[in-house]
Amino acid sequence: MASIPLDPAHGGHAHDDHHDHHPTGLKRWLTTTNHKDIGTMYLWFSFTMFIVGGIMAMIIRAELFQPGLQIVKPEFFNQLTSLHGLIMVFGAIMPAFVGFANWMLPLQLGAPDMAFARMNNWSFWMLPPAAILLISSMFVPGGSVAAGWTMYPPLTVQQGYGMDLTIFAVHILGASSIMGSINIITTILNLRAPGMTLMKMPMFAWTWLITAFLLIATMPVLAGAITMILTDRHFGTTFFNAAGGGDPVMYQHIFWFFGHPEVYIIALPAFGVVSQVIPAFSRKKLFGYPSMVYATASIAILSLIVWAHHMFTVGMPVAGQLYFMFATMLIAVPTGVKVFNWVATMWRGSITLETPMLFALGFLFLFTLGGFTGIVVALSPVDVQIHDTYYVVAHFHYVMVAGALFSAFAAVYYWGPKWTGWMYEEKLGKIHFWWSLIAFNIAFFPQHFLGLAGMPRRIPDYNQQFTEWNQVSSIGAFLFGTAQIFFLIIVIRMIKGKSGVRAPAKPWDGAEGLEWTVPSPAPYHTFETPPVVK
Amino acid sequence: MSAPSTADSGKYFVPAPSHWPLVGSAALLTLAFGATGTFNDLSWGWPVLIAGFVILLIMLFGWFGAVIRESEGRLYGKNVDTSFRWSMSWFIFSEVMFFAAFFGALGYARLHAVPDLGSVDSKLLWPDFAATWPTAGPYFKDMFSPMGAWGIPAINTALLLSSGVTLTIAHHALLDGQRGKLKLWLAATILLGATFLALQIYEYAHAYSELNLKLSSGIFGSTFFMLTGFHGFHVTIGAIMLAVMLVRVLRGHFDAKHHFAFEAAAWYWHFVDVVWLILFVVVYML
């Protein structure tokens, strides 16, 4: 990465504050064009949705604490699992990383703001209407989507009008993502500081550049798929109806053309964060920076051509099964490059284990484990046995929670001092890490056993033989849920400066990048005159 | 503009706080509830849907008005211009992918789903189904005729192709500063687009009244009307964009160096042109 010739005193933030008059109070947040304000709103929205989706997960785990029906009716259970997925994917994880991108990309690239500051605010303010639509769909006759977050027909064609609200919510979320991605790509391609060539960019910017490409390539396809569901529901088209010459399996192809890259849309920015954190706390440069860039691009390209590995059990020619199986396993190669590069970065580094590094290491271990189970489910003959079982649930929670969410926690602890001007309390952060790590594994590791033993997913009741591990899993889930309330307390205490330690411009001595050349908290306007990177 | 404009100072233009994004979000929320109500025959559906469109129109006029004022105030420097170019390119790419979903559905239906329904595996369920194209599927007995390629669709192809030429002539006139020629050829382009749309509407009426070809005519009707319908919608948007450009030209906007809005509309127009060519081949001819 670039060596930064700036000293903090001339951090590029403007001394002329004459146009620093922005509205205050609520109006500031409603009308803002400031990337830091918008990043902050993204992050709080994300956390709110994380709690909403988390409460749904808690109800799911409470219902699954013992066999039989205890707390919720089966049809409501199905709505909970569907909405939990949609809310966590579109409402919690994606906005969290867009929030980091909003806050950090202009700071990392030496840009005054995002390329389209006003549209940036619309990208954010589309999210609350989508959340309102999703949540209100639970309260209409027939309830919300109960067909899983994947919204497969024919179930979704048959449901009540809560399904329409869900479809429109996903349309709006997609539009928000496309706008946000165009903004991010343009910012990265056009607003880099003079001298910052693409191959000098921080890895976080690289991963977001490629993620934004994936979003623009696949979100419109999802929009097309759910539009077809909408017209099948209301206008007599038969895209997904075999009686009319259509095919419900066609939906699965179109959906997973979006759905599989979506996994990497979530994972790549997480890789980016980890690629910033591990070098900072190993006090070494990132090992193999160019190979990291090429590996990220390879993962993105491969992710576009492997979708049908989600559909091995719906019926497919053997040649198709073989192709999708081998193409999928090919992804392990660039992913392996990344894992080895992170490990090589730590090799002979002077490592310290502050909270961001702990979460990055937790990510490294558990995401890799999720990657291994990914290779297991990619094997077509094995997948026929474990498709739609708790093994798959365990697999993608290792990727989504221990992967993406842990990386998001690392990002909050790593960049939080830059946002708030205060250090977090290291001891509390460490407790949060170990609490989350242990609870997460108690919750999700047993689900591998349950799945291999044959417990299906999306079922509110189960055979008695599954009871013990379900109870262990539920206890782990409750512990994990409470750990996140603790996280909220840590963040609020950081914002209020309870640690009593003001954050210096660069709180991590091994950290690199332009974001550490501006004071903490970062001034409202930064880099109005671009810095020069040599 | 009393102060030196942002474009001259070399600084990147960052707009002042704006309420338009919020109005846009209100429009989307209202539209979503309105559409849900309308599609499900709820009494409040229509009024809410119309309210949503009204709010959306207010937002579009207000927001684009602000952008045009900023552009005419020369607040956008070279950097912003480059941003616009990148973003319009990526936006058109996203539109390409949207159409790809529907073209993909057509390809999947023709190459896989329909042959599969006529295959030996499906004989038990649909013994009489011959997997030919066009088809409304094995269960739909309502006969229809497909839309022929060499009538109106061929004329429409010629119209759209020539509109691409007239638009390019208009663009060159703008670059050469020939305002009269610019107005003439831009107006001709819009006229060609409007004729295309009028013929498309006539074709739809013809399909419904004489060919018995409907949106509900199985997979053929679904793919035919959704592909041509979304294309027609995009032509409408493109024609509106060009009409706005014409109004701006009449008001004296744009010069040889400063006219990205015009170029963006032209890019968009060429994009709908290319989509139509693919559509003409795979929907009408094959």
Side-chain angles (χ1 to χ4, degrees):
Chain A
M1 261 193 299
S3 59
I4 311 301
L6 288 164
D7 63 313
H10 299 90
H13 57 281
H15 300 286
D16 49 335
D17 289 334
H18 61 269
H19 63 288
D20 202 15
H21 302 299
H22 54 81
T24 50
L26 185 63
K27 202 173 168 210
R28 164 182 171 187
W29 301 99
L30 294 176
T31 64
T32 184
T33 50
N34 182 287
H35 72 100
K36 300 178 183 85
D37 284 352
I38 295 168
T40 304
M41 290 194 292
Y42 262 110
L43 291 173
W44 279 113
F45 176 83
S46 157
F47 192 82
T48 311
M49 286 295 111
F50 178 55
I51 295 298
V52 173
I55 290 169
M56 290 174 176
M58 295 300 110
I59 302 172
I60 290 167
R61 281 321 314 176
E63 173 59 48
L64 292 172
F65 192 75
Q66 48 182 325
L69 295 177
Q70 275 77 237
I71 302 168
V72 292
K73 293 195 175 95
E75 57 269 29
F76 186 63
F77 183 89
N78 288 344
Q79 292 175 35
L80 286 177
T81 53
S82 309
L83 280 176
H84 167 74
L86 282 171
I87 286 176
M88 286 305 202
V89 168
F90 290 102
I93 300 183
M94 286 169 68
F97 284 97
V98 181
F100 299 138
N102 260 297
W103 246 105
M104 299 319 297
L105 284 181
L107 289 180
Q108 289 193 322
L109 302 172
D113 206 293
M114 298 295 280
F116 302 103
R118 194 164 33 198
M119 185 176 84
N120 197 16
N121 197 30
W122 199 22
S123 302
F124 170 75
W125 278 108
M126 278 186 179
L127 298 181
I132 292 169
L133 287 168
L134 269 183
I135 291 167
S136 60
S137 72
M138 293 176 80
F139 301 100
V140 300
S144 180
V145 54
W149 82 280
T150 51
M151 299 182 282
Y152 281 1
L155 280 177
T156 41
V157 178
Q158 294 159 353
Q159 282 204 292
Y161 67 83
M163 189 60 219
D164 296 322
L165 294 173
T166 310
I167 287 174
F168 290 128
V170 175
H171 271 136
I172 294 174
L173 290 165
S176 159
S177 285
I178 291 169
M179 275 190 207
S181 301
I182 290 175
N183 212 342
I184 286 170
I185 285 199
T186 308
T187 306
I188 294 174
L189 292 179
N190 193 37
L191 266 71
R192 297 191 312 279
M196 185 180 280
T197 58
L198 282 175
M199 292 306 273
K200 283 184 184 171
M201 280 199 312
M203 260 324 277
F204 182 67
W206 255 115
T207 54
W208 248 117
L209 178 65
I210 292 165
T211 303
F213 161 75
L214 279 180
L215 274 165
I216 299 174
T218 60
M219 272 293 169
V221 177
L222 174 69
I226 57 176
T227 304
M228 290 180 220
I229 289 195
L230 194 69
T231 57
D232 270 17
R233 285 169 61 80
H234 296 294
F235 302 109
T237 60
T238 58
F239 286 106
F240 308 130
N241 182 354
D247 190 346
V249 176
M250 178 164 86
Y251 174 84
Q252 302 187 18
H253 281 288
I254 304 174
F255 177 84
W256 286 111
F257 180 82
F258 148 81
H260 193 72
E262 172 67 20
V263 175
Y264 295 95
I265 286 164
I266 288 171
L268 291 182
F271 294 170
V273 169
V274 170
S275 302
Q276 305 279 147
V277 171
I278 288 182
F281 294 93
S282 305
R283 289 158 186 83
K284 276 177 66 191
K285 284 195 187 307
L286 182 67
F287 183 87
Y289 172 91
S291 66
M292 281 301 222
V293 172
Y294 301 137
T296 309
S298 311
I299 291 173
I301 299 299
L302 285 172
S303 78
L304 289 165
I305 52 170
V306 298
W307 69 89
H309 64 218
H310 294 268
M311 308 161 47
F312 282 142
T313 58
V314 299
M316 200 189 304
V318 173
Q321 301 222 2
L322 286 173
Y323 163 73
F324 282 110
M325 175 169 94
F326 287 124
T328 303
M329 288 196 288
L330 212 53
I331 297 183
V333 176
T335 312
V337 168
K338 284 183 156 287
V339 171
F340 281 113
N341 277 347
W342 288 322
V343 174
T345 306
M346 290 186 285
W347 176 254
R348 297 192 148 185
S350 46
I351 298 174
T352 49
L353 295 175
E354 284 90 346
T355 310
M357 184 62 168
L358 285 175
F359 271 108
L361 289 176
F363 164 94
L364 194 53
F365 277 96
L366 297 178
F367 177 83
T368 306
L369 197 72
F372 286 148
T373 55
I375 296 176
V376 174
V377 290
L379 293 160
S380 175
V382 178
D383 185 67
V384 172
Q385 305 300 314
I386 53 182
H387 180 84
D388 261 352
T389 68
Y390 262 83
Y391 191 87
V392 176
V393 176
H395 157 67
F396 68 71
H397 281 92
Y398 268 78
V399 177
M400 296 284 151
V401 180
L405 184 63
F406 274 26
S407 155
F409 288 146
V412 169
Y413 289 111
Y414 181 61
W415 285 317
K418 178 60 62 189
W419 306 333
T420 62
W422 294 97
M423 298 305 288
Y424 62 88
E425 289 149 292
E426 192 58 54
K427 197 174 179 183
L428 300 186
K430 285 192 166 125
I431 294 172
H432 174 225
F433 168 72
W434 288 108
W435 188 350
S436 295
L437 182 88
I438 294 167
F440 169 82
N441 281 293
I442 297 174
F444 290 105
F445 205 80
Q447 295 185 0
H448 292 109
F449 313 147
L450 288 169
L452 288 173
M455 179 171 161
R457 67 192 281 208
R458 295 168 172 157
I459 298 285
D461 187 8
Y462 52 81
N463 195 304
Q464 282 193 351
Q465 62 176 328
F466 302 128
T467 310
E468 284 83 359
W469 284 124
N470 266 302
Q471 292 183 334
V472 173
S473 178
S474 289
I475 290 167
F478 300 145
L479 286 173
F480 188 80
T482 39
Q484 307 328 317
I485 305 300
F486 183 59
F487 171 63
L488 176 65
I489 294 168
I490 297 174
V491 170
I492 290 173
R493 287 177 64 90
M494 169 160 68
I495 293 168
K496 295 199 161 179
K498 295 281 185 189
S499 65
V501 185
R502 286 198 176 274
K506 186 171 144 181
W508 317 114
D509 51 351
E512 280 199 50
L514 288 174
E515 72 257 46
W516 308 114
T517 64
V518 300
S520 301
Y524 198 64
H525 294 289
T526 38
F527 297 128
E528 288 186 292
T529 314
V532 175
V533 180
K534 287 185 181 138
Chain B
M1 289 293 148
S2 53
S5 72
T6 315
D8 302 331
S9 69
K11 281 186 178 178
Y12 194 86
F13 173 72
V14 178
S18 163
H19 60 277
W20 293 119
L22 206 65
V23 180
S25 292
L28 291 182
L29 186 64
T30 318
L31 279 171
F33 275 111
T36 304
T38 311
F39 292 172
N40 292 286
D41 299 321
L42 304 175
S43 58
W44 48 265
W46 273 109
V48 176
L49 188 66
I50 290 165
F53 276 115
V54 171
I55 303 172
L56 186 70
L57 278 177
I58 293 171
M59 185 277 275
L60 290 172
F61 272 96
W63 195 330
F64 281 117
V67 171
I68 290 169
R69 274 191 302 279
E70 286 162 6
S71 173
E72 288 305 300
R74 293 294 186 268
L75 293 172
Y76 299 156
K78 207 166 175 302
N79 255 340
V80 180
D81 193 68
T82 311
S83 288
F84 283 150
R85 281 162 200 279
W86 274 120
S87 60
M88 192 66 197
S89 314
W90 286 105
F91 170 65
I92 290 176
F93 175 60
S94 80
E95 293 271 40
V96 168
M97 294 311 292
F98 181 76
F99 275 99
F102 288 90
F103 279 115
L106 174 64
Y108 186 90
R110 287 193 64 171
L111 300 173
H112 185 78
V114 171
D116 199 46
L117 286 169
S119 74
V120 67
D121 297 334
S122 306
K123 279 288 173 254
L124 197 65
L125 269 174
W126 322 105
D128 305 323
F129 181 63
T132 52
W133 189 266
T135 180
Y139 188 75
F140 284 63
K141 300 296 176 220
D142 205 11
M143 298 311 281
F144 68 90
S145 313
M147 184 64 65
W150 299 110
I152 292 173
I155 298 170
N156 265 346
T157 309
L159 286 177
L160 270 196
L161 283 179
S162 21
S163 77
V165 176
T166 54
L167 185 57
T168 307
I169 297 173
H171 190 192
H172 280 282
L174 172 58
L175 290 174
D176 299 340
Q178 297 168 291
R179 305 290 291 192
K181 199 175 161 191
L182 164 64
K183 288 169 198 164
L184 184 70
W185 289 101
L186 184 54
T189 311
I190 297 165
L191 199 65
L192 285 168
T195 317
F196 172 93
L197 286 172
L199 285 177
Q200 192 79 347
I201 291 166
Y202 175 79
E203 185 194 80
Y204 277 10
H206 175 69
Y208 265 77
S209 60
E210 272 134 73
L211 304 178
N212 197 31
L213 173 59
K214 295 172 180 159
L215 184 58
S216 55
S217 298
I219 191 67
F220 183 83
S222 305
T223 50
F224 175 81
F225 280 106
M226 290 297 276
L227 272 165
T228 55
F230 268 118
H231 176 265
F233 174 67
H234 281 75
V235 173
T236 313
I237 300 283
I240 293 172
M241 284 160 106
L242 291 177
V244 172
M245 294 312 132
L246 183 60
V247 171
R248 290 187 63 184
V249 168
L250 292 173
R251 288 186 184 176
H253 294 191
F254 304 134
D255 56 44
K257 279 192 183 148
H258 191 92
H259 61 267
F260 180 68
F262 180 94
E263 263 185 87
W267 290 359
Y268 195 81
W269 193 254
H270 291 310
F271 153 71
V272 296
D273 210 351
V274 170
V275 172
W276 174 262
L277 285 180
I278 302 171
L279 227 149
F280 184 65
V281 174
V282 303
V283 174
Y284 290 97
M285 284 171 68
L286 292 179

